[in-house]
Amino acid sequence: MDLYYSLTSPYARIVRASLIEKQLHDRTGHHVVDPWSDDAGLMQVNPATRVPTLVTDDGVSITESLLIVHFLEATWPDPELIPQGRRAQVLGQTGLAVGIIDAGVQTLLAKRFGPEGADQGVLGQRRARTITSTLDRLESQPPEAGGDLGALAVAVALQYLDFRYADLAWREQRPALTRWHEQVARRDSLSETVPR
Ligand SMILES: N[C@@H](CCC(=O)N[C@@H](CS)C(=O)NCC(=O)O)C(=O)O
C-alpha cells in the first residue's frame, strides 16, 4: 500500500504513527507531497488533493485520517489501536484531539487564506475556546500513556500546538497533561514523526 502525506499535517501524522505502532511502516510506500501545490500524483489518487490518502494493495484510495486508521485496525488488528475493553474512552479521547486539530488548522487557514482578521471573528473565538477548554478537559482526564489511538491523537494535537501555536504555552497550568505528554512523546511512532 501507499501513503501520501505531508510532513506537517497532523491528520497525516495520526496515520503515520498508527502505521509505526502496527509495524506496517516498512510495507508502505511513502509519498511526501505538498497538498497545496496541486501535486499531480496526489490529485490522481484523491480528487480533493488532501493528505493523508492511503492507496491499498488493491488500488483503492482511502481518504480521511480516521477512516484510514479504521481500515488498518480492521485489516491488521494486532496490536490494537482501539482496545476492545476501552473502546469508548479511546474514541472519546480521539474526538477531543481531533477537535483541537480541526480548530488549529482552521484558524491557520483563516489567517493564510481568509480576509484580514478572519481568525479574530466569532468563529475564530469559538475555535480558540475549543482549544483551551479541550486542553482543560484533557488536564483533568489525561489518556493512558500507551500507544492506543486516543493517546497518539492527543499527543499529535499537543505537538501541533507546539509547532504552530507555541505562544499558546499550553503547558502552563496543566502539569498533569505536561507529564503525560513527556512520557508518551518518547514512543517511536511519535518521536519519528515530529512535524518539521
Ligand atoms: N478530515 C481530514 C482532514 C485532512 C486535511 O485537511 N488535510 C490538509 C493538510 S493538514 C490538506 O490536505 N489540505 C489541503 C486542502 O484542503 O486542499 C482528515 O482527517 O484526513
Side-chain angles (χ1 to χ4, degrees), residues 41-138:
L42 179 61
M43 271 177 127
Q44 203 171 350
V45 294
N46 179 359
T49 331
R50 296 210 301 180
V51 294
T53 299
L54 183 86
V55 182
T56 69
D57 292 341
D58 300 331
V60 177
S61 287
I62 306 176
T63 59
E64 297 294 325
S65 51
L66 297 184
L67 295 180
I68 296 172
V69 173
H70 175 73
F71 169 77
L72 299 177
E73 185 79 342
T75 311
W76 294 278
D78 287 324
E80 285 181 312
L81 292 180
I82 309 170
Q84 285 190 27
R86 294 191 297 114
R87 186 176 286 151
Q89 290 95 317
V90 167
L91 292 178
Q93 286 152 358
T94 307
L96 290 176
V98 172
I100 291 178
I101 294 171
D102 282 347
V105 169
Q106 285 164 20
T107 302
L108 196 74
L109 293 182
K111 272 191 197 150
R112 265 194 203 160
F113 299 113
E116 180 81 25
D119 58 314
Q120 307 290 331
V122 178
L123 274 179
Q125 286 170 18
R126 286 182 67 87
R127 285 165 190 155
R129 187 188 66 190
T130 294
I131 293 174
T132 308
S133 55
T134 308
L135 287 169
D136 290 341
R137 179 75 57 91
L138 289 166

Side-chain angles (χ1 to χ4, degrees), residues 160-177:
Y160 182 70
L161 295 180
D162 284 338
F163 181 56
R164 293 291 190 202
Y165 299 95
D167 291 352
L168 188 67
W170 64 264
R171 289 172 181 79
E172 277 175 24
Q173 317 292 330
R174 298 191 184 92
L177 196 55

Side-chain angles (χ1 to χ4, degrees), residues 1-16 19 28-35 37-57 59-65 68:
M1 58 190 168
D2 287 90
L3 182 68
Y4 292 74
Y5 61 95
S6 72
L7 296 174
T8 53
S9 166
Y11 304 104
R13 190 174 175 214
I14 292 174
V15 172
R16 293 164 63 209
L19 285 169
T28 306
H30 295 262
H31 305 264
V32 178
V33 294
D34 173 4
S37 73
D38 290 343
D39 180 274
L42 179 61
M43 271 177 127
Q44 203 171 350
V45 294
N46 179 359
T49 331
R50 296 210 301 180
V51 294
T53 299
L54 183 86
V55 182
T56 69
D57 292 341
V60 177
S61 287
I62 306 176
T63 59
E64 297 294 325
S65 51
I68 296 172

